[in-house]
Each structure stands twice: as structure tokens, then as C-alpha cells.
Amino acid sequence: MRIAGAALNQIPFDWTHNLRTIQTAIEQAKAAGVELLCLPELCLTGYGCEDLFLSDWLPEAALAHLQTIRPWTQGICVVVGLPVRLSGRTYNTAAVLRDGQILGFAAKQFLANDGVHYEPRFFHPWPAGETTTVQWEGEEWTLGDMIFEHQGVKFGFEICEDAWRPDDVRPACRLVGRVDLIVNPSASHFAMSKTDVRYHLVTEASRTFRCTYLYANLLGNEAGRIIYDGEILVARNGHLLLRNQLMSFKEVDLEYVDVDFGIELVPAETIATLPAPDEYLELNQALSLALFDYLRKARSRGFVLSLSGGADSCMCAVAVAEMVRLGTAELGTAEFMRRAGCFTAADIGEITGAPETAPEHRELVAADGSPSPAPAGNLPGASTEAVSGNQRAVNRRLTGRLLTCAYQGTVNSSDDTFNSARELADDLGAVFHSWDINEEVSGYVGKIEHALGRELAWQTDDLALQNIQARVRAPAIWMLANVQNCLLMTTSNRSEASVGYCTMDGDTAGSISPIAGVDKFFVKQWLRWAEHERHYPGLHRVNALQPTAELRPLADKQTDERDLMPYELLNRIERLAFYDRLAPAQVLATLRHQDPAADPEQLKAYVKRFFSLWSRNQWKRERYAPAFHLDDYNVDPRSWLRFPILSGGYTQELATL
């Protein structure tokens, strides 16, 4: 049987869009001779509908829209994910359709309730072994723990989280010997190196449960924060049959493979080890796709960035250029511009200089149905082949249409950061403006001095004098973004968010915070990688600079790490505290064990500083612009880590140190 998975780039309750991608996937599958097609989890509604899943109307609308799909399934068996609401409870289900009929609904048995997931808020888990019925306009279908059959092949389900549970309790353990195929429609979020975990999950399940295992994930930045990599995997008895390229810019990525269910394969003795994931490459692709989807789904015309010349703003600028490079490489320039939704036909002609078609899709299944090897890094753009000079020029023109930067200097800004910003913008092709804000800063300082009847001085008013510079930058850059109908990017990273090293309504002003899930140490490493591996010579200045806010007088030689602590240590404390969930004393003990030569009093001071700054700055994290989830954890209270705004602030815990 020729079986397939299709990764779909969906939008929450955008019925027109979601039905169109579903129809496209089915049409592509039928044209390729596919007999069974798995679409991702909740692909009809989108996974990110959140509390709308608790309404009556959304599941009812989904069931009504499922009827639209029925005629498309003539001659093929298709799995479609949608919510179903029964007796005031919503269930996460996968409908099986064939020849215009609904065969039934498999229901998710285990719900994800960690990290970015809050599924028990929306859904109820389905009890193993039980079934009920769903009714709609006089028709009735079975829903629950079900086994289906298509052309003599019996198949059952695990839906995303079902597969992440221990082998002795997950649904697959009850399917051994009863099915030939396990189908897994998923909405599994992206995190660096997670694809390697999924690969082992699928291949080992196919061996353990003696079956063929078909896995299909959502694709793209669906709802704003969470990114899906569109992974499709097929394994049989421990042997990998199919693995696709991740992070496609296409809205539909269909991949198929032929499986002879009549031949009993010998299970693999060991699961093959893949090359170690390249996290720089992974983050680059995820960030690029996330920005592209945010741009088009927000119906914006581009990005505006206050480019300070420092590491964070430079990473945001390069991310836009990489979005253009990777998107045009996969789709072609004209199709990339059409998909972006902010260009006219005249714009496309002006940028490309000639009509252009998308590059031919690289098929991962050989003509005989056998799988071809996955590309290096399993990511589009993993090739080190140089971009042609002509395409580079096209990409620079396109970046210039999508990215506007402004350097907003004060008397405390240096030539180093100005030159860093200017040279990078020129390297990327971005529009670059420069103005100073000294007059505005002096105006606000003068007003407060007049109101208080005294002069403000660095010795007594340090934070206020630093913050006013960052805040004064916000109105002009916001105005520029508004005039151009663009998204304003804010540049804070995760390390700054953890300790509140940012100015609210200043450098945090913006509508999207793309790197707020990435730690500062990784930002610095990524920029060096981008300079040398992605050939951005404009990064050479920022990579030679010590990170600095440049808010104090230049003679002070302000640096971030002097204000806080070494970033590498900050990240270790942060991870121990909130990924490993250790108390301050446990964090300190772990650091001492890891580095016996470190000064114990200095370590103690850094631990105290971190927890004190963390506690008093939760209100800032609550107000950050939407951030992408890119690492295996983040500090965004809306997606991963909740913490009280008002608390005891670890007072007793820190006192015991």
C-alpha cells in the first residue's frame, strides 16, 4: 500500500485556508497514487484555538466543515484531525474518511500538560477500550478507542502525546498483534534537537510494537508563538522508510512511501544513529519560517527594527535576511513574494526582473517507492552551495522591501555600534536610517528636573537616566512601523527577560519578540556561525564587541556582563532553577559541584542576584511582545513558565545561603 503523511501549515479557525490546504493535500495524494493519507492533529480547526475549544460552536462548526471534505475522499482513505464535543466535554479526535463516508473517530487518550502544552484545560482524555457515538443531521458514527481496516490493512491510532507515554500504558501496547499500521497525527512543537528524539520515538515504536508506524506533524508558525517543523516519518519493524525535510515554506508538504504489508521484515537489532543535530541550522530555519508565517498571517508589509548594532538587534536583522534567502531558495522569488501577501504583481516584476517559477520539489521517495536518504541536517537550506550572485542581488532588493532599520543614538552611543549597525544593514540590503534622540532625552530630563526642583545625576538617578534613553527610542520607531504598516521587532533575549535587564516601553516596545526564547550566550555563538557559515561579513564588528546597553556615559565602559554576571553562568543558573526546578540552595550546590575551582562567595552572590532579579521582574515578562518558542524551554508565562507577579521573592531561601 502506498501510504503518505502531509504536513499542513494551518491557521486557527480559518476555515477557508484550512480546507484549501486539506483539499490540496488530498488532491496531491490521489495524483501520486496514495491509498492512505494521514493529515496532522486538529488540522481542520488548527491546534492553537485555545479556549475556543471549550465553546459549543467551534467543534460544531468543525463537524459541519468535515462534511465538505467527504466528497474529496473518493478513492482514498484520509485521516483528518478535529475536536468533537459531547455532553459538555471536548475530545481531540482523528476522523477516518473513505469514498465520501466517515468511518469513525479515534480519540486521543493522553493529554500533554507540560512545557508549552495545556491540553487538559481544553480537552478530556478518552478512556482506553471505550466507544460512543457522534450524531450529525441524522447520521451516526462511532467515536473512541477504535481499529480501522483499509484494503486488508488494519490500523489503529496514537495521537501525538499518546506516543510519548511509557510503552506499557500507551495505546500502541494494546494494538500489538491486532494492527499492521499505527497512524500518528501530531501537533508536536519545534525545539532544537527535538527531531532526533522523534526519530527514535517512531523507529523504536515500530520495532517494539512490530508494525509500520506513520507519523505526520503540523507545519509552520500556526498561531503566533509555537512553531511546527512539519516532520513526516514512516518506520517499519525498526527500519526507517521515510524522513522528510523539515521547516518547509510550502503550505502543504506531502511525502509517501510504498509498504508491502505482506512481507514480514526482520526487526532492526539496533536503531541507526543519526548525525548530531546542528542547532544553529535548526534555529535558523525555525526562526525564518516563523517570521515568514507571522508576516503573512498578520497581513503586514514587513518589519521595522531599532538596529542598535548590538548582538540582539543584529540577530533579528539577519533573521529577516535568512527568511528571504531560505524562502526564495525553496519557493522561488516570485512565489515567495506572492505567498508573503504584501507585494503587487508590479513589485514582483520589479524585484525579479523576469517571470519566475518555483524550483522543482526534491522528491524523497525513489521511483520504485523506496526512500531516498534524508538530506544533510534534514533541513532545507542545509546545503553549503553558494547562492548565485544574481540571486544574492535579488535577495538584497527583497530584504530592502521587507526590513527597515534605524539607529537611534545618544551622547552615550559609540562609533563602534553605529558602524556595526550601518555596515550590517548595507550587507543585508536593508533600508537604514540614523538619527539622534539627545534633544528628546534632554526635554524629558528637563521636565522632571523642573518638577522636582533639582538636577538629575548619575550618582543618584542612574536607572532613571538609563531608562529614559531606551524609552525615548520607542515613539519614533513605532511611528515608522505604523506609517509603513509593518511589524515592529523588539530585540530582548531570554537571558535579559530572566533578570529584567530591559526597559519596559523602551527596548521592549514592539509587536513581536522573535528571539526572546533564545539565551544571550547562544545569540553570540549564532552570530559567529552566521558570519562564517552563512557569509554575512557585516557581522564582523558586532562579533568583536562586548554586549553593552550603551546607556551610561561612555567613560563608564558599561557592559551587560559587568551589570549582571557572565552570560554563560546566568544561563546555567536559569536552567537549573526553572528547567530542572531546583531551589536556590540546590542551584548553588550544583554549581559548586560542577566547578569546584570557582570562588564560592562569588557564586553565592550571583545566585542571590539572579533569584532576586527574577522575582521582582515577573511583571516585565508578562508584558513582553509575543515570542517564538525555539529552545527546549523558555520563560514566557504565556507559553512555558508561569510565576506569580507578587511573591515572597525567595527571601527565606536566599537568606539560608
Side-chain angles (χ1 to χ4, degrees):
M1 180 184 291
R2 178 162 291 183
I3 64 175
L8 306 182
N9 192 319
Q10 305 298 73
I11 303 173
F13 65 99
D14 186 336
W15 308 111
T16 301
H17 172 92
N18 294 350
L19 286 168
R20 176 172 55 79
T21 57
I22 289 170
Q23 184 177 26
T24 299
I26 295 173
E27 289 174 348
Q28 290 182 3
K30 291 167 77 172
V34 169
E35 293 154 283
L36 187 148
L37 169 65
C38 176
L39 303 179
E41 179 181 12
L42 294 171
C43 63
L44 183 50
T45 56
Y47 179 84
C49 295
E50 306 211 36
D51 278 4
L52 288 179
F53 286 127
L54 300 175
S55 69
D56 290 328
W57 74 265
L58 184 81
E60 288 174 1
L63 194 55
H65 285 296
L66 184 66
Q67 313 310 313
T68 303
I69 299 173
R70 291 172 63 171
W72 305 340
T73 64
Q74 290 294 335
I76 188 172
C77 185
V78 181
V79 174
V80 180
L82 75 157
V84 173
R85 192 162 175 83
L86 300 172
S87 303
R89 294 181 171 184
T90 307
Y91 299 96
N92 184 335
T93 79
V96 179
L97 295 84
R98 181 181 63 203
D99 294 330
Q101 299 299 315
I102 297 173
L103 305 185
F105 298 78
K108 190 171 185 176
Q109 298 178 28
F110 292 96
L111 303 178
N113 193 32
D114 61 340
V116 302
H117 299 292
Y118 301 93
E119 288 185 351
R121 177 177 176 86
F122 317 126
F123 303 109
H124 279 260
W126 188 262
E130 295 189 11
T131 60
T132 187
T133 57
V134 180
Q135 296 179 346
W136 185 86
E137 294 192 354
E139 293 189 82
E140 184 175 277
W141 308 283
T142 304
L143 178 149
D145 189 357
M146 299 181 63
I147 291 176
F148 299 85
E149 184 173 341
H150 181 55
Q151 296 185 3
V153 174
K154 292 182 178 180
F155 63 97
F157 280 87
E158 292 191 314
I159 301 177
C160 202
E161 180 68 13
D162 289 339
W164 295 78
R165 297 303 171 109
D167 285 349
D168 60 343
V169 299
R170 59 192 281 189
C173 73
R174 297 186 301 278
L175 296 173
V176 177
R178 301 170 64 201
V179 302
D180 309 291
L181 170 68
I182 295 177
V183 178
N184 188 327
S186 282
S188 179
H189 68 276
F190 167 81
M192 289 185 288
S193 297
K194 190 176 179 182
T195 177
D196 189 58
V197 178
R198 281 202 218 100
Y199 161 76
H200 284 282
L201 190 77
V202 170
T203 51
E204 289 171 4
S206 74
R207 179 179 63 179
T208 300
F209 303 113
R210 303 191 299 278
C211 66
T212 299
Y213 202 105
L214 167 60
Y215 175 97
N217 197 18
L218 278 174
L219 172 64
N221 181 353
E222 185 202 56
R225 286 178 168 87
I226 307 304
I227 304 155
Y228 302 97
D229 56 24
E231 186 155 38
I232 299 170
L233 294 163
V234 180
R236 179 166 168 80
N237 288 15
H239 299 272
L240 179 68
L241 303 183
L242 173 68
R243 188 174 188 227
N244 68 325
Q245 292 179 325
L246 305 187
M247 296 292 179
S248 173
F249 280 75
K250 297 179 294 183
E251 290 186 326
V252 176
D253 182 16
L254 176 80
E255 308 290 347
Y256 58 84
V257 66
D258 291 336
V259 178
D260 188 343
F261 288 96
I263 297 177
E264 184 66 28
L265 298 179
V266 178
E269 293 184 6
T270 59
I271 303 299
T273 300
L274 298 176
D278 185 335
E279 292 193 339
Y280 301 124
L281 192 66
E282 285 188 330
L283 182 136
N284 186 50
Q285 183 71 20
L287 187 54
S288 298
L289 180 57
L291 286 172
F292 181 64
D293 277 347
Y294 209 106
L295 170 75
R296 65 192 187 89
K297 293 178 182 180
R299 299 174 178 84
S300 178
R301 298 193 61 79
F303 301 95
V304 167
L305 173 66
S306 188
L307 184 60
S308 69
D312 300 322
S313 62
C314 286
M315 182 174 183
C316 290
V318 172
V320 177
E322 281 294 284
M323 174 193 78
V324 170
R325 185 184 70 83
L326 292 172
T328 57
E330 182 177 6
L331 301 176
T333 305
E335 180 61 20
F336 174 88
M337 294 177 72
R338 281 191 289 270
R339 286 276 310 283
C342 55
F343 296 100
T344 65
D347 292 330
I348 296 173
E350 178 187 339
I351 294 292
T352 63
E356 182 174 338
T357 58
E360 186 174 335
H361 173 51
R362 180 178 174 185
E363 180 59 73
L364 295 187
V365 179
D368 63 358
S370 61
S372 300
N378 207 38
L379 293 166
S383 170
T384 57
E385 293 178 11
V387 177
S388 70
N390 179 62
Q391 187 60 45
R392 186 177 292 110
V394 168
N395 288 348
R396 290 184 78 257
R397 291 197 297 273
L398 187 48
T399 301
R401 297 289 292 272
L402 291 172
L403 177 61
T404 300
C405 305
Y407 182 87
Q408 305 184 81
T410 71
V411 293
N412 300 322
S413 302
S414 68
D415 291 341
D416 288 334
T417 55
F418 171 76
N419 289 328
S420 171
R422 179 177 55 83
E423 291 181 17
L424 179 61
D426 181 65
D427 186 18
L428 305 180
V431 174
F432 181 72
H433 302 290
S434 175
W435 57 71
D436 73 64
I437 57 170
N438 290 312
E439 184 178 345
E440 291 90 339
V441 171
S442 297
Y444 280 109
V445 171
K447 284 181 174 64
I448 301 305
E449 288 178 335
H450 178 75
L452 298 179
R454 69 172 180 86
E455 289 188 358
L456 302 184
W458 287 102
Q459 293 76 14
T460 56
D461 309 292
D462 176 74
L463 284 179
L465 289 174
Q466 288 193 67
N467 285 336
I468 189 59
Q469 298 167 73
R471 287 200 176 97
V472 163
R473 291 186 171 113
I477 202 71
W478 259 127
M479 186 174 185
L480 184 60
N482 289 164
V483 168
Q484 297 187 176
N485 193 22
C486 289
L487 292 162
L488 177 58
M489 305 172 81
T490 182
T491 61
S492 293
N493 59 69
R494 190 177 77 211
S495 304
E496 293 176 349
S498 290
V499 292
Y501 194 65
C502 55
T503 302
M504 293 312 301
D505 308 312
D507 54 328
T508 60
S511 47
I512 183 174
S513 188
I515 64 168
V518 186
D519 68 75
K520 185 59 170 267
F521 188 71
F522 192 88
V523 168
K524 293 165 63 179
Q525 293 176 307
W526 187 90
L527 286 171
R528 295 187 184 98
W529 171 85
E531 178 185 357
H532 300 292
E533 298 299 322
R534 284 295 171 259
H535 310 296
Y536 290 106
L539 290 171
H540 76 103
R541 287 189 183 272
V542 70
N543 284 336
L545 295 175
Q546 280 289 321
T548 173
E550 287 196 332
L551 296 175
R552 290 196 182 104
L554 288 173
D556 188 68
K557 297 182 179 179
Q558 180 183 24
T559 68
D560 295 357
E561 293 186 313
R562 197 176 77 186
D563 283 354
L564 301 169
M565 65 189 75
Y567 273 120
E568 188 174 14
L569 179 61
L570 190 159
N571 296 333
R572 287 166 61 196
I573 296 173
E574 175 197 84
R575 189 173 186 89
L576 289 168
F578 298 114
Y579 185 83
D580 297 329
R581 297 185 171 94
L582 302 183
Q586 295 171 308
V587 171
L588 180 59
T590 303
L591 292 174
R592 286 177 171 173
H593 176 74
Q594 291 174 344
D595 190 1
D599 181 344
E601 291 303 312
Q602 184 66 74
L603 280 181
K604 185 188 299 181
Y606 285 149
V607 170
K608 286 186 172 183
R609 182 178 299 173
F610 175 87
F611 279 99
S612 297
L613 291 172
W614 169 274
S615 300
R616 73 180 65 156
N617 286 294
Q618 179 64 21
W619 69 277
K620 291 186 176 181
R621 291 185 289 274
E622 298 280 352
R623 293 186 58 207
Y624 266 64
F628 301 146
H629 180 84
L630 296 164
D631 206 346
D632 56 355
Y633 79 105
N634 66 57
V635 297
D636 184 348
R638 189 62 184 80
S639 63
W640 201 87
L641 181 57
R642 296 187 175 187
F643 189 87
I645 296 173
L646 302 176
S647 71
Y650 297 96
T651 304
Q652 186 172 354
E653 289 79 7
L654 295 179
T656 63
L657 297 186

